Amino acid sequence: MNGFDYRDYDALGLAQLIKAGEVKPEELLGEAIRHIEMQNPKLNAVINKMYEQAKKDVHNIDINGAFAGVPMLLKDITQEIEGEKITSGSKALQSYRAWRDAEYVRRVRKTGVVFTGQTNVPEFALMGITEPAFYGPTRNPWNADHTPGGSSGGSGAAVASGMVPIAGANDGGGSIRIPAAYCGLFGLKPTRGRTPSAADPGRQWQGASSDHVLARSVRDSAAMLDEIQGYEKGAAFHAPAFDGSYLQIVKNQSERKYRIAFSTASPIGTEVDPDCIEAVRKTAALLESMGHSVEEKDAPVDGKKLAGSYMMMYFGEVAATLRLLEDLLGRKVRYDDVEPTTWLLGLLGKAATAEEFVLGIREWDKAAHVMETFHETYDFFMTPTTAYPPAKIGELNSRGTEKLLLQMIGKLGAGGFVKKTGMVDKIVENSLKRTPFTQLANLTGQPAMSVPLHISSGGLPCGVQFVAARGKEDILFDLAARLETVDEWIDIKTNPMFKKEQPV
Protein backbone atom coordinates (compact mmCIF):
# COMPACT_ATOMS: atom_id res chain seq x y z
CA MET A 1 0.00 0.00 0.00
CA ASN A 2 2.88 2.35 -0.79
CA GLY A 3 1.63 5.93 -0.96
CA PHE A 4 -1.88 4.90 0.09
CA ASP A 5 -3.55 6.94 2.86
CA TYR A 6 -6.67 5.21 4.14
CA ARG A 7 -7.99 8.54 5.41
CA ASP A 8 -8.01 10.16 1.97
CA TYR A 9 -11.18 8.23 1.08
CA ASP A 10 -14.78 8.17 2.15
CA ALA A 11 -16.51 4.80 2.58
CA LEU A 12 -17.64 4.46 -1.03
CA GLY A 13 -14.16 5.41 -2.18
CA LEU A 14 -12.60 2.64 -0.08
CA ALA A 15 -15.14 0.12 -1.34
CA GLN A 16 -14.30 1.05 -4.92
CA LEU A 17 -10.60 0.43 -4.28
CA ILE A 18 -11.44 -3.06 -3.02
CA LYS A 19 -13.70 -3.84 -5.97
CA ALA A 20 -10.97 -2.69 -8.35
CA GLY A 21 -8.47 -4.98 -6.62
CA GLU A 22 -6.21 -2.08 -5.63
CA VAL A 23 -6.49 -2.77 -1.90
CA LYS A 24 -7.39 -5.89 0.05
CA PRO A 25 -10.13 -5.82 2.73
CA GLU A 26 -7.60 -7.11 5.27
CA GLU A 27 -5.40 -4.11 4.56
CA LEU A 28 -8.25 -1.67 5.17
CA LEU A 29 -9.09 -3.39 8.44
CA GLY A 30 -5.47 -3.15 9.48
CA GLU A 31 -5.47 0.58 8.74
CA ALA A 32 -8.67 1.09 10.74
CA ILE A 33 -7.19 -0.76 13.71
CA ARG A 34 -3.97 1.24 13.42
CA HIS A 35 -5.82 4.55 13.50
CA ILE A 36 -8.10 3.47 16.34
CA GLU A 37 -5.08 2.43 18.40
CA MET A 38 -3.34 5.69 17.57
CA GLN A 39 -6.22 8.11 18.25
CA ASN A 40 -8.45 6.37 20.77
CA PRO A 41 -6.20 6.81 23.85
CA LYS A 42 -6.76 10.55 23.51
CA LEU A 43 -10.34 10.63 22.22
CA ASN A 44 -11.96 7.63 23.98
CA ALA A 45 -14.38 7.14 21.10
CA VAL A 46 -14.27 3.32 20.88
CA ILE A 47 -15.20 1.45 24.05
CA ASN A 48 -15.47 -2.10 22.68
CA LYS A 49 -12.85 -3.24 20.18
CA MET A 50 -14.02 -6.18 18.04
CA TYR A 51 -10.75 -6.79 16.24
CA GLU A 52 -10.60 -10.59 16.47
CA GLN A 53 -14.12 -11.06 15.14
CA ALA A 54 -13.50 -8.45 12.46
CA LYS A 55 -10.41 -10.37 11.29
CA LYS A 56 -12.66 -13.40 10.78
CA ASP A 57 -15.53 -11.46 9.20
CA VAL A 58 -13.31 -9.67 6.70
CA HIS A 59 -12.87 -12.94 4.78
CA ASN A 60 -16.63 -13.38 4.34
CA ILE A 61 -17.74 -10.00 3.07
CA ASP A 62 -20.01 -9.56 0.05
CA ILE A 63 -17.62 -8.11 -2.51
CA ASN A 64 -20.61 -6.74 -4.44
CA GLY A 65 -21.95 -4.83 -1.45
CA ALA A 66 -22.10 -1.04 -1.64
CA PHE A 67 -19.55 -0.77 1.19
CA ALA A 68 -17.61 -3.97 0.58
CA GLY A 69 -14.75 -4.31 3.06
CA VAL A 70 -15.19 -0.90 4.68
CA PRO A 71 -14.44 -0.85 8.43
CA MET A 72 -17.40 0.53 10.39
CA LEU A 73 -18.18 1.16 14.04
CA LEU A 74 -21.58 0.74 15.68
CA LYS A 75 -23.10 2.75 18.52
CA ASP A 76 -23.17 1.13 21.96
CA ILE A 77 -26.94 1.32 22.30
CA THR A 78 -29.65 -0.67 20.48
CA GLN A 79 -27.34 -1.47 17.50
CA GLU A 80 -26.95 -4.99 18.82
CA ILE A 81 -24.67 -7.72 17.45
CA GLU A 82 -25.39 -11.26 18.58
CA GLY A 83 -22.96 -12.30 21.31
CA GLU A 84 -21.38 -8.84 21.70
CA LYS A 85 -21.64 -6.59 24.73
CA ILE A 86 -24.16 -3.77 24.51
CA THR A 87 -23.97 -1.62 27.63
CA SER A 88 -25.81 1.57 26.61
CA GLY A 89 -23.04 3.43 28.41
CA SER A 90 -24.11 2.10 31.81
CA LYS A 91 -22.24 0.03 34.37
CA ALA A 92 -25.56 -1.68 35.12
CA LEU A 93 -25.29 -3.49 31.76
CA GLN A 94 -21.56 -4.21 31.80
CA SER A 95 -22.15 -7.98 31.66
CA TYR A 96 -25.06 -7.99 29.21
CA ARG A 97 -24.61 -9.50 25.75
CA ALA A 98 -27.02 -9.25 22.84
CA TRP A 99 -28.92 -12.42 22.01
CA ARG A 100 -29.42 -11.54 18.34
CA ASP A 101 -28.55 -9.00 15.65
CA ALA A 102 -30.77 -5.93 15.53
CA GLU A 103 -32.59 -5.46 12.21
CA TYR A 104 -30.54 -2.30 11.61
CA VAL A 105 -27.35 -4.36 12.03
CA ARG A 106 -28.61 -7.09 9.71
CA ARG A 107 -29.29 -4.60 6.94
CA VAL A 108 -26.03 -2.72 7.39
CA ARG A 109 -24.06 -5.99 7.43
CA LYS A 110 -25.46 -6.84 3.97
CA THR A 111 -23.71 -3.80 2.53
CA GLY A 112 -20.36 -5.57 3.07
CA VAL A 113 -19.03 -3.49 5.96
CA VAL A 114 -16.73 -4.99 8.59
CA PHE A 115 -17.87 -4.19 12.12
CA THR A 116 -14.73 -3.21 14.00
CA GLY A 117 -16.02 -1.99 17.36
CA GLN A 118 -18.60 0.00 19.30
CA THR A 119 -18.59 3.69 20.15
CA ASN A 120 -19.07 5.53 23.41
CA VAL A 121 -22.45 6.97 24.44
CA PRO A 122 -23.79 8.86 27.47
CA GLU A 123 -25.68 6.57 29.84
CA PHE A 124 -28.77 5.31 27.96
CA ALA A 125 -28.06 7.95 25.27
CA LEU A 126 -29.74 10.61 27.39
CA MET A 127 -27.41 13.59 26.91
CA GLY A 128 -26.18 15.89 24.17
CA ILE A 129 -22.64 15.26 25.44
CA THR A 130 -20.81 11.93 25.73
CA GLU A 131 -19.42 11.72 29.25
CA PRO A 132 -20.67 8.49 30.85
CA ALA A 133 -19.37 7.78 34.33
CA PHE A 134 -18.66 4.17 33.38
CA TYR A 135 -16.41 4.79 30.36
CA GLY A 136 -15.35 8.40 30.82
CA PRO A 137 -15.71 11.27 28.34
CA THR A 138 -15.22 11.17 24.61
CA ARG A 139 -13.28 14.15 23.27
CA ASN A 140 -13.60 16.27 20.15
CA PRO A 141 -10.90 15.79 17.46
CA TRP A 142 -10.93 19.53 16.76
CA ASN A 143 -10.02 20.30 20.37
CA ALA A 144 -9.72 17.52 22.92
CA ASP A 145 -10.76 19.85 25.74
CA HIS A 146 -14.26 19.96 24.23
CA THR A 147 -17.14 17.53 23.72
CA PRO A 148 -17.98 15.94 20.35
CA GLY A 149 -21.65 16.12 21.39
CA GLY A 150 -24.05 13.28 21.98
CA SER A 151 -25.51 10.95 22.15
CA SER A 152 -23.62 9.60 19.11
CA GLY A 153 -20.49 11.38 20.31
CA GLY A 154 -18.22 8.35 20.07
CA SER A 155 -19.24 7.82 16.47
CA GLY A 156 -18.73 11.49 15.64
CA ALA A 157 -15.25 11.57 17.14
CA ALA A 158 -14.27 8.33 15.41
CA VAL A 159 -15.27 9.55 11.96
CA ALA A 160 -13.92 13.07 12.40
CA SER A 161 -10.52 11.75 13.54
CA GLY A 162 -10.22 9.34 10.60
CA MET A 163 -10.57 6.07 12.53
CA VAL A 164 -13.35 5.00 10.17
CA PRO A 165 -15.16 6.84 7.36
CA ILE A 166 -18.66 5.98 8.59
CA ALA A 167 -20.23 4.96 11.89
CA GLY A 168 -23.61 3.92 13.24
CA ALA A 169 -25.72 6.54 14.99
CA ASN A 170 -29.26 7.20 16.08
CA ASP A 171 -31.24 10.34 16.80
CA GLY A 172 -34.07 10.75 19.32
CA GLY A 173 -33.62 14.47 19.96
CA GLY A 174 -30.61 15.47 17.88
CA SER A 175 -28.15 12.64 18.52
CA ILE A 176 -27.00 12.38 14.90
CA ARG A 177 -27.12 16.09 14.11
CA ILE A 178 -25.46 17.41 17.29
CA PRO A 179 -22.24 15.35 16.86
CA ALA A 180 -22.28 16.18 13.16
CA ALA A 181 -22.42 19.88 14.05
CA TYR A 182 -19.69 19.66 16.68
CA CYS A 183 -17.34 17.43 14.66
CA GLY A 184 -17.66 18.99 11.19
CA LEU A 185 -19.52 16.02 9.67
CA PHE A 186 -22.64 15.39 7.63
CA GLY A 187 -25.52 13.94 9.63
CA LEU A 188 -29.04 13.16 8.45
CA LYS A 189 -31.92 11.99 10.64
CA PRO A 190 -34.35 10.15 8.36
CA THR A 191 -38.13 10.44 8.26
CA ARG A 192 -39.84 8.52 11.04
CA GLY A 193 -40.16 4.90 9.90
CA ARG A 194 -37.68 5.19 6.99
CA THR A 195 -35.06 2.98 8.65
CA PRO A 196 -35.53 -0.04 10.92
CA SER A 197 -35.59 0.26 14.66
CA ALA A 198 -32.18 -0.60 15.99
CA ALA A 199 -33.40 -3.01 18.64
CA ASP A 200 -36.93 -4.43 18.86
CA PRO A 201 -39.38 -3.24 16.18
CA GLY A 202 -41.94 -0.84 17.53
CA ARG A 203 -41.77 2.76 18.63
CA GLN A 204 -38.30 3.81 19.74
CA TRP A 205 -38.91 6.78 22.02
CA GLN A 206 -42.54 6.91 20.84
CA GLY A 207 -41.35 7.35 17.25
CA ALA A 208 -38.91 10.18 18.03
CA SER A 209 -35.80 8.08 17.41
CA SER A 210 -34.41 7.01 14.03
CA ASP A 211 -31.23 5.08 13.15
CA HIS A 212 -28.77 5.97 10.42
CA VAL A 213 -25.06 6.94 10.25
CA LEU A 214 -22.60 9.76 10.73
CA ALA A 215 -20.49 10.26 7.62
CA ARG A 216 -17.70 12.40 6.23
CA SER A 217 -19.43 12.66 2.83
CA VAL A 218 -23.01 13.25 1.69
CA ARG A 219 -22.84 10.36 -0.76
CA ASP A 220 -21.94 7.84 1.97
CA SER A 221 -25.02 8.83 3.95
CA ALA A 222 -27.20 8.65 0.84
CA ALA A 223 -25.86 5.27 -0.25
CA MET A 224 -26.36 3.78 3.21
CA LEU A 225 -29.93 5.05 3.35
CA ASP A 226 -30.57 3.41 -0.03
CA GLU A 227 -29.39 0.12 1.43
CA ILE A 228 -31.19 0.07 4.79
CA GLN A 229 -34.47 1.91 4.18
CA GLY A 230 -37.77 0.11 3.78
CA TYR A 231 -40.54 -1.83 5.45
CA GLU A 232 -39.85 -3.50 8.77
CA LYS A 233 -42.12 -6.22 10.05
CA GLY A 234 -43.91 -5.15 13.21
CA ALA A 235 -42.74 -1.54 13.03
CA ALA A 236 -45.15 1.04 14.43
CA PHE A 237 -44.37 3.63 11.74
CA HIS A 238 -43.70 3.60 8.01
CA ALA A 239 -42.30 6.50 5.99
CA PRO A 240 -43.82 7.67 2.70
CA ALA A 241 -42.51 5.39 -0.05
CA PHE A 242 -39.47 6.47 -2.04
CA ASP A 243 -38.71 4.43 -5.16
CA GLY A 244 -35.64 6.27 -6.39
CA SER A 245 -32.00 6.27 -5.32
CA TYR A 246 -30.66 8.83 -2.89
CA LEU A 247 -27.15 8.16 -4.16
CA GLN A 248 -28.20 9.00 -7.71
CA ILE A 249 -29.71 12.25 -6.47
CA VAL A 250 -26.35 13.15 -4.94
CA LYS A 251 -24.53 12.21 -8.14
CA ASN A 252 -26.96 14.03 -10.44
CA GLN A 253 -27.41 17.32 -8.61
CA SER A 254 -30.43 19.28 -9.78
CA GLU A 255 -30.61 22.96 -10.66
CA ARG A 256 -33.83 23.39 -8.69
CA LYS A 257 -34.21 26.64 -6.80
CA TYR A 258 -35.56 26.07 -3.31
CA ARG A 259 -37.73 28.16 -0.99
CA ILE A 260 -36.06 28.39 2.41
CA ALA A 261 -37.32 29.87 5.67
CA PHE A 262 -34.77 30.44 8.40
CA SER A 263 -34.66 31.43 12.05
CA THR A 264 -31.87 31.96 14.56
CA ALA A 265 -34.20 32.43 17.54
CA SER A 266 -34.26 29.67 20.16
CA PRO A 267 -37.73 28.09 20.16
CA ILE A 268 -37.64 28.02 23.97
CA GLY A 269 -36.61 31.65 24.35
CA THR A 270 -33.04 31.03 25.52
CA GLU A 271 -29.89 32.69 24.21
CA VAL A 272 -28.11 31.68 21.02
CA ASP A 273 -24.35 32.16 20.67
CA PRO A 274 -23.29 34.74 18.05
CA ASP A 275 -21.17 32.12 16.24
CA CYS A 276 -24.23 29.91 15.71
CA ILE A 277 -26.27 32.87 14.50
CA GLU A 278 -23.49 33.86 12.11
CA ALA A 279 -23.35 30.31 10.72
CA VAL A 280 -27.00 30.56 9.65
CA ARG A 281 -26.83 34.11 8.33
CA LYS A 282 -23.73 33.32 6.28
CA THR A 283 -25.48 30.25 4.89
CA ALA A 284 -28.57 32.30 4.06
CA ALA A 285 -26.41 34.71 2.05
CA LEU A 286 -24.68 31.79 0.34
CA LEU A 287 -28.00 30.22 -0.60
CA GLU A 288 -29.25 33.51 -2.02
CA SER A 289 -26.08 33.79 -4.10
CA MET A 290 -26.89 30.33 -5.48
CA GLY A 291 -30.30 31.56 -6.61
CA HIS A 292 -32.50 30.16 -3.84
CA SER A 293 -35.30 32.14 -2.19
CA VAL A 294 -34.48 32.81 1.47
CA GLU A 295 -36.79 34.41 4.04
CA GLU A 296 -36.42 34.93 7.79
CA LYS A 297 -39.42 33.30 9.45
CA ASP A 298 -40.00 31.28 12.63
CA ALA A 299 -41.66 27.88 12.55
CA PRO A 300 -45.39 28.15 13.36
CA VAL A 301 -45.20 26.06 16.54
CA ASP A 302 -45.17 26.71 20.28
CA GLY A 303 -41.56 25.85 21.05
CA LYS A 304 -41.90 25.90 24.82
CA LYS A 305 -44.98 23.66 24.80
CA LEU A 306 -43.24 21.22 22.45
CA ALA A 307 -40.13 21.20 24.62
CA GLY A 308 -42.28 20.31 27.61
CA SER A 309 -43.98 17.51 25.69
CA TYR A 310 -40.61 16.18 24.54
CA MET A 311 -39.29 16.10 28.08
CA MET A 312 -42.47 14.38 29.31
CA MET A 313 -41.71 11.55 26.86
CA TYR A 314 -38.06 11.67 27.92
CA PHE A 315 -38.95 11.26 31.61
CA GLY A 316 -41.37 8.45 30.85
CA GLU A 317 -38.91 6.58 28.65
CA VAL A 318 -36.20 6.73 31.32
CA ALA A 319 -38.62 5.41 33.93
CA ALA A 320 -39.56 2.58 31.58
CA THR A 321 -35.90 1.85 30.83
CA LEU A 322 -35.14 1.49 34.53
CA ARG A 323 -38.14 -0.80 34.95
CA LEU A 324 -37.03 -3.00 32.02
CA LEU A 325 -33.52 -3.00 33.44
CA GLU A 326 -34.89 -4.93 36.40
CA ASP A 327 -35.85 -7.78 34.06
CA LEU A 328 -32.29 -7.93 32.70
CA LEU A 329 -30.66 -7.76 36.12
CA GLY A 330 -33.16 -10.05 37.81
CA ARG A 331 -33.55 -7.68 40.74
CA LYS A 332 -34.68 -4.20 41.72
CA VAL A 333 -32.64 -1.36 40.26
CA ARG A 334 -30.91 0.65 42.96
CA TYR A 335 -29.83 4.28 43.08
CA ASP A 336 -26.14 3.32 42.78
CA ASP A 337 -26.74 1.22 39.65
CA VAL A 338 -27.07 4.28 37.42
CA GLU A 339 -25.90 7.88 37.30
CA PRO A 340 -27.70 10.39 39.59
CA THR A 341 -29.17 12.31 36.65
CA THR A 342 -30.57 9.11 35.13
CA TRP A 343 -32.14 8.21 38.47
CA LEU A 344 -33.74 11.66 38.81
CA LEU A 345 -35.14 11.51 35.28
CA GLY A 346 -36.65 8.13 36.11
CA LEU A 347 -38.25 9.56 39.26
CA LEU A 348 -39.79 12.37 37.21
CA GLY A 349 -41.15 9.77 34.80
CA LYS A 350 -42.78 7.90 37.66
CA ALA A 351 -44.27 11.14 38.97
CA ALA A 352 -45.90 11.95 35.61
CA THR A 353 -49.48 10.90 34.96
CA ALA A 354 -50.78 8.94 32.00
CA GLU A 355 -52.94 11.96 31.15
CA GLU A 356 -49.89 14.23 30.98
CA PHE A 357 -48.05 11.74 28.78
CA VAL A 358 -50.92 11.40 26.28
CA LEU A 359 -51.52 15.16 26.12
CA GLY A 360 -47.81 15.62 25.42
CA ILE A 361 -47.84 13.18 22.50
CA ARG A 362 -50.86 14.94 21.06
CA GLU A 363 -48.79 18.13 20.89
CA TRP A 364 -46.44 16.26 18.57
CA ASP A 365 -49.29 15.41 16.22
CA LYS A 366 -50.53 19.01 16.18
CA ALA A 367 -47.04 20.24 15.34
CA ALA A 368 -46.70 17.63 12.58
CA HIS A 369 -49.87 18.88 10.92
CA VAL A 370 -48.83 22.53 11.20
CA MET A 371 -45.40 21.80 9.75
CA GLU A 372 -46.88 19.90 6.80
CA THR A 373 -48.81 23.07 5.95
CA PHE A 374 -45.67 25.18 6.47
CA HIS A 375 -43.79 23.05 3.94
CA GLU A 376 -46.43 23.69 1.30
CA THR A 377 -44.82 27.14 1.12
CA TYR A 378 -41.22 26.39 2.09
CA ASP A 379 -39.04 23.48 1.01
CA PHE A 380 -36.75 23.86 4.03
CA PHE A 381 -36.69 25.34 7.50
CA MET A 382 -33.11 26.35 8.36
CA THR A 383 -31.74 26.98 11.88
CA PRO A 384 -28.50 26.59 13.78
CA THR A 385 -28.06 22.92 14.61
CA THR A 386 -27.10 23.88 18.16
CA ALA A 387 -27.37 27.11 20.14
CA TYR A 388 -23.72 27.03 21.25
CA PRO A 389 -20.42 25.63 19.98
CA PRO A 390 -19.16 22.52 21.82
CA ALA A 391 -18.91 22.82 25.60
CA LYS A 392 -15.72 21.96 27.43
CA ILE A 393 -15.41 18.48 28.91
CA GLY A 394 -17.01 18.53 32.36
CA GLU A 395 -18.51 21.99 31.89
CA LEU A 396 -22.10 20.75 32.01
CA ASN A 397 -21.66 18.34 34.91
CA SER A 398 -23.50 19.01 38.16
CA ARG A 399 -21.23 20.34 40.89
CA GLY A 400 -21.30 21.74 44.40
CA THR A 401 -24.72 22.47 45.90
CA GLU A 402 -26.51 21.37 42.72
CA LYS A 403 -24.82 17.97 42.86
CA LEU A 404 -25.69 17.49 46.54
CA LEU A 405 -29.32 18.46 45.89
CA LEU A 406 -29.50 16.02 42.99
CA GLN A 407 -28.16 13.22 45.17
CA MET A 408 -30.54 14.05 48.02
CA ILE A 409 -33.60 14.08 45.75
CA GLY A 410 -32.53 10.79 44.16
CA LYS A 411 -31.89 8.97 47.41
CA LEU A 412 -35.16 10.20 48.90
CA GLY A 413 -37.10 9.25 45.75
CA ALA A 414 -38.56 12.75 45.73
CA GLY A 415 -39.64 13.01 42.09
CA GLY A 416 -43.12 14.13 43.09
CA PHE A 417 -41.65 16.89 45.26
CA VAL A 418 -39.55 18.18 42.35
CA LYS A 419 -42.65 18.23 40.15
CA LYS A 420 -44.73 20.14 42.72
CA THR A 421 -42.07 22.81 43.24
CA GLY A 422 -42.04 23.73 39.57
CA MET A 423 -38.40 22.69 39.19
CA VAL A 424 -39.32 20.65 36.11
CA ASP A 425 -39.55 23.79 33.97
CA LYS A 426 -36.00 24.69 35.01
CA ILE A 427 -34.83 21.14 34.25
CA VAL A 428 -36.38 21.38 30.77
CA GLU A 429 -34.67 24.70 30.08
CA ASN A 430 -31.29 23.54 31.39
CA SER A 431 -31.52 20.31 29.38
CA LEU A 432 -32.34 21.96 26.06
CA LYS A 433 -30.84 25.45 26.14
CA ARG A 434 -27.69 24.36 24.29
CA THR A 435 -29.60 22.21 21.79
CA PRO A 436 -33.14 23.64 21.41
CA PHE A 437 -33.41 23.35 17.63
CA THR A 438 -33.14 19.64 16.93
CA GLN A 439 -36.14 18.17 18.78
CA LEU A 440 -38.81 19.54 16.44
CA ALA A 441 -38.03 17.09 13.65
CA ASN A 442 -38.02 14.18 16.10
CA LEU A 443 -41.48 15.05 17.37
CA THR A 444 -43.03 15.66 13.95
CA GLY A 445 -41.25 12.76 12.24
CA GLN A 446 -39.61 14.99 9.63
CA PRO A 447 -36.18 14.36 8.11
CA ALA A 448 -33.47 16.84 9.05
CA MET A 449 -29.77 17.25 8.43
CA SER A 450 -26.80 19.12 9.85
CA VAL A 451 -24.26 20.40 7.34
CA PRO A 452 -20.73 21.65 8.23
CA LEU A 453 -20.45 25.18 6.89
CA HIS A 454 -18.92 27.29 9.66
CA ILE A 455 -15.97 27.35 12.06
CA SER A 456 -16.54 29.29 15.28
CA SER A 457 -14.28 32.07 16.57
CA GLY A 458 -12.87 29.41 18.92
CA GLY A 459 -11.86 27.15 16.03
CA LEU A 460 -14.67 24.60 16.46
CA PRO A 461 -17.31 23.56 13.92
CA CYS A 462 -20.84 25.00 14.01
CA GLY A 463 -23.51 23.09 12.10
CA VAL A 464 -26.44 24.45 10.13
CA GLN A 465 -29.67 22.46 10.24
CA PHE A 466 -32.20 21.98 7.45
CA VAL A 467 -35.61 20.40 8.08
CA ALA A 468 -37.84 19.17 5.21
CA ALA A 469 -41.35 17.76 4.94
CA ARG A 470 -41.88 14.11 5.86
CA GLY A 471 -40.59 11.78 3.18
CA LYS A 472 -38.42 14.45 1.52
CA GLU A 473 -34.91 13.16 2.20
CA ASP A 474 -34.40 13.45 -1.56
CA ILE A 475 -34.34 17.24 -1.55
CA LEU A 476 -32.18 17.31 1.59
CA PHE A 477 -29.59 15.17 -0.18
CA ASP A 478 -29.85 17.30 -3.32
CA LEU A 479 -29.21 20.52 -1.42
CA ALA A 480 -26.46 18.94 0.70
CA ALA A 481 -24.65 17.65 -2.39
CA ARG A 482 -24.65 21.12 -3.89
CA LEU A 483 -23.45 22.72 -0.66
CA GLU A 484 -20.69 20.12 -0.37
CA THR A 485 -19.04 21.69 -3.42
CA VAL A 486 -18.69 25.19 -1.92
CA ASP A 487 -15.56 26.51 -0.25
CA GLU A 488 -17.35 26.96 3.08
CA TRP A 489 -17.91 23.21 3.49
CA ILE A 490 -15.60 22.05 6.29
CA ASP A 491 -12.80 19.65 5.38
CA ILE A 492 -12.39 17.33 8.39
CA LYS A 493 -8.83 16.61 7.25
CA THR A 494 -7.90 20.03 8.65
CA ASN A 495 -8.71 19.14 12.27
CA PRO A 496 -5.70 18.51 14.57
CA MET A 497 -6.48 14.91 15.46
CA PHE A 498 -7.09 13.92 11.84
CA LYS A 499 -3.71 15.28 10.85
CA LYS A 500 -1.88 13.65 13.75
CA GLU A 501 0.10 10.61 12.59
CA GLN A 502 2.04 9.78 15.72
CA PRO A 503 0.55 7.99 18.75
CA VAL A 504 -0.96 10.47 21.19
Side-chain angles (χ1 to χ4, degrees):
M1 293 198 303
N2 244 349
F4 168 78
D5 190 338
Y6 162 81
R7 300 168 307 155
D8 282 343
Y9 300 86
D10 66 0
L12 286 176
L14 292 174
Q16 188 55 46
L17 291 177
I18 286 177
K19 291 173 184 178
E22 296 179 35
V23 178
K24 295 179 180 178
E26 299 91 332
E27 292 174 313
L28 287 191
L29 177 59
E31 282 294 283
I33 292 172
R34 184 171 78 86
H35 284 287
I36 292 170
E37 289 301 303
M38 185 167 60
Q39 309 287 29
N40 203 57
K42 180 71 171 180
L43 297 179
N44 193 33
V46 182
I47 48 83
N48 181 23
K49 299 170 182 176
M50 296 163 47
Y51 299 162
E52 294 311 309
Q53 186 60 48
K55 289 174 183 177
K56 297 175 185 176
D57 292 343
V58 76
H59 299 291
N60 300 310
I61 62 166
D62 179 359
I63 196 65
N64 296 312
F67 296 101
V70 175
M72 179 178 174
L73 297 165
L74 291 172
K75 186 175 176 180
D76 180 37
I77 187 167
T78 70
Q79 296 181 354
E80 300 180 356
I81 300 176
E82 182 179 354
E84 285 292 335
K85 292 194 301 182
I86 187 88
T87 69
S88 302
S90 178
K91 68 177 181 180
L93 289 172
Q94 59 187 298
S95 300
Y96 178 72
R97 292 185 178 270
W99 59 274
R100 51 89 174 94
D101 283 356
E103 177 63 18
Y104 170 87
V105 169
R106 283 193 287 270
R107 294 190 189 186
V108 172
R109 192 190 297 276
K110 289 179 181 178
T111 70
V113 299
V114 180
F115 296 133
T116 311
Q118 294 168 318
T119 60
N120 203 7
V121 299
E123 187 171 56
F124 301 118
L126 295 176
M127 301 296 169
I129 56 175
T130 301
E131 300 181 23
F134 186 52
Y135 290 112
T138 296
R139 297 175 180 273
N140 194 316
W142 291 83
N143 185 327
D145 291 332
H146 292 259
T147 181
S151 62
S152 308
S155 291
V159 174
S161 63
M163 295 181 192
V164 291
I166 195 167
N170 40 44
D171 189 319
S175 291
I176 288 175
R177 289 160 288 156
I178 294 167
Y182 286 173
C183 295
L185 302 173
F186 177 74
L188 178 133
K189 181 201 82 69
T191 297
R192 178 179 295 155
R194 176 72 69 201
T195 58
S197 304
D200 298 321
R203 52 187 74 238
Q204 295 292 320
W205 276 40
Q206 306 306 309
S209 184
S210 297
D211 278 70
H212 192 33
V213 294
L214 277 160
R216 58 184 290 184
S217 71
V218 175
R219 70 174 190 165
D220 280 353
S221 179
M224 185 61 80
L225 193 59
D226 278 338
E227 297 293 320
I228 67 174
Q229 71 148 334
Y231 175 81
E232 179 187 14
K233 182 179 179 181
F237 307 101
H238 301 287
F242 178 71
D243 298 325
S245 163
Y246 297 118
L247 180 57
Q248 288 304 313
I249 287 169
V250 171
K251 288 180 177 179
N252 306 317
Q253 299 163 26
S254 77
E255 296 182 359
R256 178 176 171 180
K257 305 304 180 187
Y258 290 111
R259 301 161 299 170
I260 301 162
F262 79 92
S263 174
T264 61
S266 166
I268 60 173
T270 48
E271 292 184 6
V272 179
D273 187 270
D275 274 316
C276 298
I277 293 173
E278 183 185 0
V280 170
R281 295 201 176 277
K282 280 177 53 180
T283 303
L286 172 64
L287 291 165
E288 282 189 322
S289 74
M290 296 168 70
H292 302 291
S293 172
V294 183
E295 176 185 348
E296 188 164 7
K297 188 177 182 65
D298 293 337
V301 297
D302 186 329
K304 290 185 177 180
K305 185 176 284 188
L306 277 177
S309 70
Y310 170 76
M311 293 302 292
M312 181 61 63
M313 175 277 298
Y314 187 79
F315 300 153
E317 286 286 341
V318 176
T321 294
L322 295 180
R323 171 61 187 85
L324 293 171
L325 190 57
E326 294 182 355
D327 296 336
L328 295 177
L329 297 179
R331 60 170 175 80
K332 286 283 187 182
V333 175
R334 298 183 290 264
Y335 173 79
D336 291 336
D337 286 326
V338 295
E339 296 175 23
T341 300
T342 301
W343 189 258
L344 175 60
L345 294 172
L347 291 177
L348 292 172
K350 290 181 179 180
T353 66
E355 176 188 37
E356 289 172 322
F357 193 88
V358 171
L359 289 174
I361 297 297
R362 287 185 179 180
E363 289 299 323
W364 300 15
D365 298 334
K366 292 177 188 176
H369 184 269
V370 168
M371 290 304 293
E372 285 290 303
T373 303
F374 180 81
H375 284 293
E376 291 172 2
T377 302
Y378 301 100
D379 297 297
F380 302 111
F381 179 52
M382 178 176 67
T383 71
T385 306
T386 65
Y388 291 85
K392 286 190 173 182
I393 298 294
E395 179 181 345
L396 305 183
N397 292 344
S398 301
R399 50 176 57 89
T401 303
E402 181 185 356
K403 185 175 182 179
L404 289 173
L405 179 62
L406 186 65
Q407 291 172 342
M408 182 180 71
I409 291 169
K411 289 178 178 178
L412 292 175
F417 167 77
V418 172
K419 184 180 174 184
K420 288 177 182 177
T421 62
M423 288 171 62
V424 171
D425 289 341
K426 192 64 177 175
I427 291 171
V428 171
E429 182 179 308
N430 287 341
S431 296
L432 301 181
K433 68 180 180 181
R434 297 189 72 91
T435 56
F437 298 103
T438 48
Q439 293 79 36
L440 175 62
N442 297 93
L443 308 191
T444 59
Q446 296 171 249
M449 66 181 182
S450 180
V451 295
L453 290 171
H454 184 70
I455 296 289
S456 75
S457 55
L460 293 163
C462 284
V464 177
Q465 176 180 240
F466 291 85
V467 181
R470 281 192 286 189
K472 300 302 290 182
E473 289 95 336
D474 55 337
I475 64 172
L476 285 167
F477 279 124
D478 178 51
L479 181 63
R482 291 153 75 178
L483 289 172
E484 196 175 23
T485 66
V486 304
D487 291 340
E488 290 83 353
W489 189 274
I490 294 172
D491 182 357
I492 62 165
K493 291 163 69 175
T494 61
N495 81 61
M497 290 301 294
F498 195 100
K499 291 188 292 185
K500 190 179 286 293
E501 269 294 338
Q502 298 304 313
V504 293

